[in-house]
Amino acid sequence: MKRIAIQGQNGSFHDIAAHQFFVGEQVQIICCNTFEEVYQQISHDPTIVGMTAIENTIAGSLLHNYELLRDSGTTVVGEHKLHIRHCLCCLPEDTWETIDEVHSHPVALMQCRQFLAAHPHLKAVETDDTAGAAENIMARQLRGKAAICHATAAQLNGMKVLQDSIEDNKHNFTRFLVVCDPRKADFMRPLEKSDKASLVFSLPHEEGSLSKVLTILSFYNINLTKIQSLPIIGHEWEYMFYVDVTYNNLTRYRQSIDAIIPLTKELKILGEYQNGKQTN
């Protein structure tokens, strides 16, 4: 049985992503209040695997999670792209006429702005987790309060779904990373089947330093799928670059890494894994 640490509760998007990624396997979900706690779980018990969101097609990158990943010493061994759907749910006794508040994570509220604008009588209340909002309303029997979450969370908590698919953008996906202790990486994924890698590096503060790196990657037919820069605290105008690349030849990819190392500072391979597929 795999033990998976996630941020959020049962029925949360992290929970759904974990079960979809490890479909057909026995999993035990370890619910954590914060992303920091996910990495703490792995640090205390190297057999635990983490599932953590890193990017959303609407809200963008989760910048703090990049820093947590880099500092954690874990390795990325997989990714999963989950279609994000939101529903409005409430206690079975409530109706459209009786609800006056809607509780959810601030990102979920942001992703349903058009729906909320069409229902101005609903006061938006921020919580730590989408599924946790539904769980709290049911546990405390909060009449007149609704939650925005996935329909799975509503069902798990015995909530009534008033309306499904209330998200503004129907092409809303979140990308999750599967992380583990480096000593477990080879058991989690066959390296020879990898076709994607996540890297982080800094560069000398000189003209053209980034373009030189990108030129070499292009020469080796390495496809750059994402680049995210974050400032280095205490070093004005210097940045860490988080880069995702895809490749169809592991040897050429390794050669490209050898070629860019002399041009970078503190290059670290965060993980090599298989490109995740989008799921509904």
Side-chain angles (χ1 to χ4, degrees):
M1 177 180 291
K2 286 188 172 65
R3 292 187 295 159
I4 318 297
I6 65 167
Q7 186 276 322
Q9 305 299 315
N10 291 325
S12 66
F13 291 105
H14 278 84
D15 180 27
I16 295 168
H19 278 92
Q20 288 187 359
F21 184 85
F22 294 104
V23 63
E25 300 186 51
Q26 284 190 317
V27 299
Q28 175 190 352
I29 299 298
I30 302 172
C31 297
C32 304
N33 292 323
T34 64
F35 289 108
E36 285 86 350
E37 188 179 340
V38 171
Y39 288 105
Q40 289 169 6
Q41 290 282 348
I42 300 172
S43 176
H44 295 154
D45 186 345
T47 65
I48 292 175
V49 177
M51 172 74 76
T52 174
I54 198 69
E55 179 184 9
N56 178 264
T57 53
I58 298 176
S61 299
L62 281 73
L63 300 181
H64 184 50
N65 284 4
Y66 279 98
E67 297 176 326
L68 289 176
L69 173 62
R70 183 193 71 212
D71 296 338
S72 69
T74 60
T75 296
V76 181
V77 291
E79 71 172 3
H80 188 70
K81 299 166 185 173
L82 178 67
H83 190 190
I84 303 299
R85 289 194 176 102
H86 295 296
C87 79
L88 183 75
C89 64
C90 62
L91 294 175
E93 300 82 9
D94 275 320
T95 66
W96 280 106
E97 289 71 30
T98 60
I99 60 172
D100 56 13
E101 284 187 3
V102 55
H103 298 205
S104 195
H105 190 278
V107 172
L109 294 172
M110 183 272 294
Q111 293 172 350
C112 301
R113 282 184 296 188
Q114 293 177 16
F115 171 84
L116 293 173
H119 299 83
H121 68 287
L122 295 179
K123 177 185 177 182
V125 178
E126 295 185 357
T127 64
D128 293 333
D129 181 56
T130 54
E135 181 182 54
N136 181 60
I137 290 172
M138 175 56 74
R140 298 174 60 190
Q141 288 293 294
L142 299 178
R143 293 293 303 272
K145 315 306 177 188
I148 288 178
C149 60
H150 193 276
T152 298
Q155 294 165 3
L156 285 174
N157 289 286
M159 303 280 279
K160 178 170 67 177
V161 175
L162 289 176
Q163 186 172 331
D164 203 357
S165 298
I166 64 171
E167 66 278 0
D168 297 345
N169 192 318
K170 305 308 177 185
H171 301 280
N172 181 12
F173 287 82
T174 294
R175 184 164 69 99
F176 297 83
L177 297 180
V178 182
V179 300
C180 70
D181 184 283
R183 293 167 293 181
K184 192 175 180 179
D186 289 339
F187 300 99
M188 293 291 298
R189 56 93 177 95
L191 184 58
E192 65 276 7
K193 292 186 178 180
S194 69
D195 57 6
K196 188 171 185 178
S198 295
L199 320 171
V200 60
F201 54 81
S202 57
L203 294 169
H205 192 49
E206 57 189 44
E207 185 176 347
S209 58
L210 180 58
S211 63
K212 292 176 184 177
V213 171
L214 300 182
T215 298
I216 289 178
L217 292 176
S218 177
F219 173 79
Y220 282 95
N221 295 321
I222 307 302
N223 183 36
L224 183 72
T225 61
K226 181 176 178 63
I227 182 168
Q228 179 73 54
S229 63
L230 288 178
I232 301 175
I233 306 301
H235 297 263
E236 293 80 6
W237 319 121
E238 293 188 32
Y239 301 87
M240 298 296 296
F241 293 92
Y242 294 83
V243 173
D244 288 340
V245 299
T246 58
Y247 49 88
N248 53 26
N249 186 301
L250 183 60
T251 300
R252 293 281 287 177
Y253 154 72
R254 287 291 173 82
Q255 290 172 340
S256 74
I257 297 299
D258 291 339
I260 67 174
I261 283 177
L263 303 176
T264 65
K265 297 163 58 179
E266 304 177 37
L267 184 143
K268 181 179 181 181
I269 299 174
L270 296 172
E272 296 159 336
Y273 48 96
Q274 286 184 279
N275 195 3
K277 303 298 186 292
Q278 293 186 170
T279 64
N280 292 322

